[in-house]
Amino acid sequence: MNLSSTSLRSFIAVVAAVGLLGTGLAGCGGGGDSQDVSRKMNMVTVNWIEGMAFTYVQEQIMENQYDMEVDVREVGGGGIAFSSVAEGDRDFFNEAWLPTTHQNSWGDLQGQLQKLGYTYRGTSGGLVVPAYMDLRSAANIGEYREALGEKIYGIEAGSPTNDNIRQVLDQHGIEGFSVVAASGPATWQRLRSAIQDRQPIIVAGWKPHWKWSAFDLRYLKDGKTNQSPAYGPPEDIFTVVDNQFIDEFPKEAVCFLQKFEVTDQQIGSLMNTFRTRGDMSKSGAAEQWVRNHPGYVTQWLDQAEACAASDEAVTPLPDDATHSRDQEA
């Protein structure tokens, strides 16, 4: 059956009133009889704060609103996330940055994957410095080699983000630097420590990310999106699924994931909740956020309800879908 507006409003009312999510509801399959669909869904995420925030909020809503049994696995990089979906070990990944950042993973596995929908539109990335640094352009990084200890801080080993840094250095003929691989949280701690001591530092950076509201930062000219071939044009974040996904799961759950697209305000609020959660579990932080933001949740559920109620089948985006690039045309 399709989710009614009354059910949706009841769900939000219960969340707001007593801090509990509504009871699960069964629904029609995405591409066949309801008896044929699975209610066990495997998600994969990377320890990037925005992706974890997306993932655990989706887990909460799908388990409590759509009666899904959800398993979340955190992995050490985007490439692993892509391959785990393509190989059928996981069902979807909600943080595919395309067309540039994850172009190799997408290109290698494109025949086994589909773009279900947008998660966020209009990203940027590049080399980032604290605003108090005099360094303004990537072309002048070499002048700060000694002050920087010949180091630029990236993220996980093997990440295309680290390769982007190396490409920028090559582009400007800069030698003698190493790109230090570390987890995202470790890099942000280095950034925080450097800023506390007003020391020079260059880190990999991107938007959306909480660090822009926490610190006074700027991108380096000619080392960022739309200014360097390494970073390409503005990107979008997509949810990618395997080729059987749409027919494998209940239509309303598929519709919810397809319509789950966040604005700057929403992702900012989500990241802040996760960044300040302290000892609270990730699922607990997600439940708190859902409880405190019923308007956002209602918006996603309304869109999912309309999609699920339609006689039309859910269809993926074209392989070359790129909203941001289309906007520039």
Side-chain angles (χ1 to χ4, degrees):
M1 62 181 174
N2 295 321
L3 296 174
S4 68
S5 295
T6 300
S7 297
L8 291 168
R9 299 301 176 269
S10 297
F11 168 66
I12 294 299
V14 170
V15 170
V18 299
L20 298 174
L21 295 172
T23 57
L25 298 173
C28 301
D33 295 335
S34 59
Q35 296 177 350
D36 297 333
V37 297
S38 173
R39 291 199 171 271
K40 295 182 178 180
M41 185 179 290
N42 296 317
M43 305 170 68
V44 62
T45 188
V46 184
N47 67 346
W48 307 325
I49 191 168
E50 66 281 359
M52 289 193 297
F54 298 153
T55 297
Y56 285 98
V57 164
Q58 289 173 338
E59 175 201 39
Q60 286 291 311
I61 294 174
M62 286 195 296
E63 285 191 340
N64 295 283
Q65 178 68 11
Y66 299 120
D67 195 28
M68 300 295 292
E69 181 181 335
V70 179
D71 179 72
V72 176
R73 178 181 298 168
E74 297 180 16
V75 298
I80 300 173
F82 269 86
S83 61
S84 68
V85 175
E87 293 167 2
D89 182 47
R90 300 280 101 183
D91 297 310
F92 78 97
F93 175 46
N94 60 20
E95 202 176 357
W97 290 55
L98 294 167
T100 303
T101 300
H102 290 138
Q103 61 182 316
N104 291 337
S105 294
W106 173 249
D108 292 343
L109 302 169
Q110 190 170 342
Q112 299 163 258
L113 299 170
Q114 296 176 332
K115 292 177 177 176
L116 180 65
Y118 292 96
T119 312
Y120 178 89
R121 307 192 195 206
T123 69
S124 63
L127 298 179
V128 172
V129 298
Y132 56 74
M133 285 184 65
D134 293 333
L135 178 61
R136 299 280 176 170
S137 172
N140 302 121
I141 290 175
E143 300 172 14
Y144 291 77
R145 182 179 291 107
E146 183 177 349
L148 293 165
E150 301 181 344
K151 294 177 181 178
I152 297 175
Y153 293 95
I155 54 173
E156 297 87 0
S159 167
T161 297
N162 297 343
D163 291 334
N164 291 345
I165 298 172
R166 297 183 185 99
Q167 291 175 39
V168 170
L169 295 176
D170 289 344
Q171 172 190 342
H172 296 289
I174 298 170
E175 299 178 346
F177 279 87
S178 61
V179 178
V180 180
S183 69
T187 293
W188 315 141
Q189 185 54 52
R190 285 195 179 100
L191 177 63
R192 182 188 302 277
S193 297
I195 289 175
Q196 287 175 344
D197 296 333
R198 290 189 67 83
Q199 295 297 308
I201 189 171
I202 303 177
V203 300
W206 58 86
K207 294 180 181 179
H209 196 276
W210 61 266
K211 61 183 173 290
W212 296 96
S213 61
F215 307 120
D216 189 6
L217 306 170
R218 67 167 177 269
Y219 284 122
L220 291 181
K221 180 183 176 183
D222 297 325
K224 58 174 287 189
T225 296
N226 260 359
Q227 294 184 5
S228 168
Y231 290 96
E235 298 188 279
D236 304 303
I237 304 176
F238 296 88
T239 292
V240 293
V241 300
D242 64 43
N243 291 336
Q244 292 75 46
F245 184 90
I246 289 174
D247 292 328
E248 186 176 355
F249 296 101
K251 186 178 183 182
E252 68 270 22
V254 174
C255 283
F256 167 69
L257 292 174
Q258 186 177 64
K259 301 301 181 181
F260 183 93
E261 180 179 331
V262 298
T263 63
D264 286 330
Q265 185 176 13
Q266 289 165 345
I267 188 56
S269 172
L270 263 171
M271 288 189 291
N272 186 61
T273 295
F274 271 71
R275 186 171 67 88
T276 60
R277 65 187 174 88
D279 295 332
M280 187 183 300
S281 70
K282 294 164 188 173
S283 293
E287 182 179 350
Q288 179 188 77
W289 189 89
V290 168
R291 183 169 62 247
N292 292 339
H293 298 85
Y296 292 155
V297 178
T298 299
Q299 176 185 341
W300 292 324
L301 294 178
D302 283 347
Q303 293 171 342
E305 178 186 21
C307 168
S310 171
D311 292 333
E312 297 183 4
V314 180
T315 57
L317 297 171
D319 284 353
D320 61 351
T322 308
H323 171 80
S324 295
R325 186 166 55 198
D326 292 344
Q327 294 299 103
E328 291 184 339

